[in-house]
Amino acid sequence: MINTKQGRANVSKVDLKVQRGFADFAYSGLNEGLNTTQYKQLYTEGYVNSGKLSSTEAEALYVTQFPNPANTNWLNEMTHIGVTNSVDISASGGNEDFRYFLSGSIFDQAGTVKNNFFDRYSSRANLTAQLTDKLS
């Protein structure tokens, strides 16, 4: 048998639960990206190691593809501290002939990657009524 939440006769109750949390990368070294010099070195080495280009050709290709390189930390530009908010509220009560349980919930999450969101809204209502002695 499955029992669902419902109000109790002659007892009114309101519950509120609010939570807030934060998320960041577990590995702090992840935020250390390459600067322009390091990227150029790895770019050139990649082409040289693949055997497709000589060092001089790879450097010339880099200059062609990236004529004005900037020291931008793209990981910092794309990520931030994630925030999670959760609010749950419920009310229950009633009398001998009518009992109720009402609840609502809001969940809001902004992930560690910018513009990555998740929102959830939910509600629930349980009503129990004794309409007559023969019908409930």
Side-chain angles (χ1 to χ4, degrees), residues 46-71:
Y47 272 109
V48 171
N49 290 340
S50 71
K52 294 180 181 179
L53 299 174
S54 69
S55 179
T56 306
E57 292 170 326
E59 286 187 24
L61 181 61
Y62 178 86
V63 171
T64 302
Q65 289 185 339
F66 306 103
N68 298 311
N71 276 323

Side-chain angles (χ1 to χ4, degrees), residues 68-85:
N68 298 311
N71 276 323
T72 302
N73 186 331
W74 290 109
L75 193 59
N76 284 346
E77 294 296 320
M78 298 182 328
T79 61
H80 59 169
I81 302 291
V83 179
T84 302
N85 297 301

